[in-house]
Structure formats: C-alpha cells, structure tokens
Amino acid sequence: MDKIKGKVWKFGDNIDTDVIIPGRYLRTFNPEDLARHVMAGEREDFASEVESGDIILADDNFGCGSSREQAPVAIKTAGVSAVIAKSFARIFYRNAINIGLPVIKADIDAKEGDIISLDLKKGVIINESSGKSFKIEPFKDFMLDILSDGGLVKHYLNEK
C-alpha cells in the first residue's frame, strides 16, 4: 500500500461531508449504495465516472462538517485510492485512516486528469503528466501496515 498511482479529480476548499455523501442518501449503510452517490453534492457525475485507483486532490479543509463515517467509506468504496488535500478536518482524517483510505496532507500542482504517483514510504508525489515532484512527510511503517490491512479494525484483528 506504499505506492499509489491514479488520475486526478480536483475539488476546492471546504468540501464537507454533506457534499461527499448528501444526507438524502444516508438511508443505508451499504458501502456500494453509498459509493453510487459519492460527491453528489458537488459533482453529480463523479460516482459514475470515477475509476478504481483515481485520486481526489482538494484544497483546504476537506471533509469538514459532520463526523459521519459514511463519507470516507463512500470515497473508498467508489474506488478512490487516496485523497490529497492542503488540509483535512481532523475527524474525517481519522475516519479515513480507520477504514484504510490513505489521506495525504500536501499542496501539489496538478490539473484534473493528470496522472500522479505517490510513494508513501519515501514521501514523494510525482505528477507524471507535468514531471513535477513534491516531497511529503513519509508515512511511518505502522500507518502503512494499517492501510495495507484495510483499516484499523482489520489491522488489530491481524495482530492477534
């Protein structure tokens, strides 16, 4: 889980959990049902166009709003391999890691549709479309283990 590569989907500031999974779709806890409506509050076509491995790139305060765990679940189940943002709401960040969705705090230069690769162990993001590279804080081994196991609960069960 230390290397990720995908196409960029760009979002702005203050993408809140009501945008990520609008309340009208919270009648279920089924992850696949949630994924069919991910980002519907911001971009109605996202769920039908996102492909496995794609990456969300956002500005400040991604995941603000309520503490609903369905938001990172919907993103991950839709096939998004990572979320990169300039900053995250703390509870969203924790919820994402808890379910095994990599979230990376970084300010990188990329356009929608660019292909980027991440090496979480080395702390490098490369925009393969532009050739630019960016340094990030490398993920510690225990974080990579949690992400590789699919989240905190699965990691804990594997440790037993």
Side-chain angles (χ1 to χ4, degrees):
M1 172 53 83
D2 58 327
K3 293 185 180 174
I4 298 168
K5 182 176 177 178
K7 180 179 72 175
V8 169
W9 290 83
K10 290 254 324 202
F11 292 91
D13 291 322
N14 303 312
I15 300 297
D16 68 41
T17 55
D18 290 329
V19 166
I20 296 169
I21 186 69
R24 65 185 176 273
Y25 300 117
L26 291 177
R27 294 183 178 95
T28 180
F29 285 101
N30 181 310
E32 288 77 23
D33 290 340
L34 295 171
R36 281 193 276 280
H37 304 289
V38 68
M39 304 306 283
E42 181 74 13
R43 193 182 290 183
E44 195 67 42
D45 62 339
F46 180 80
S48 63
E49 294 182 9
V50 68
E51 296 178 6
S52 183
D54 287 353
I55 297 167
I56 290 176
L57 176 62
D59 290 326
D60 284 310
N61 206 21
F62 189 88
C64 59
S66 74
S67 61
R68 63 177 63 150
E69 294 174 2
Q70 296 96 328
V73 168
I75 291 170
K76 182 180 177 183
T77 305
V80 172
S81 62
V83 179
I84 302 169
K86 293 178 184 176
S87 66
F88 291 91
R90 186 172 59 178
I91 191 72
F92 178 87
Y93 186 92
R94 279 194 354 228
N95 285 339
I97 295 297
N98 285 347
I99 63 145
L101 174 65
V103 283
I104 298 100
K105 184 179 174 188
D107 183 6
I108 70 166
D109 181 24
K111 298 184 300 259
E112 178 127 349
D114 282 358
I115 303 299
I116 60 174
S117 60
L118 298 86
D119 188 321
L120 301 178
K121 190 170 186 74
K122 290 182 179 176
V124 177
I125 299 174
I126 298 172
N127 182 331
E128 296 188 6
S129 299
S130 71
K132 294 180 184 176
S133 65
F134 308 89
K135 292 295 253 173
I136 60 170
E137 173 114 12
F139 276 48
K140 299 201 181 325
D141 287 340
F142 80 92
M143 288 286 284
L144 292 171
D145 290 344
I146 289 169
L147 294 172
S148 291
D149 287 343
L152 192 56
V153 171
K154 291 178 182 176
H155 176 71
Y156 173 75
L157 294 173
N158 283 344
E159 292 287 307
K160 286 185 143 191

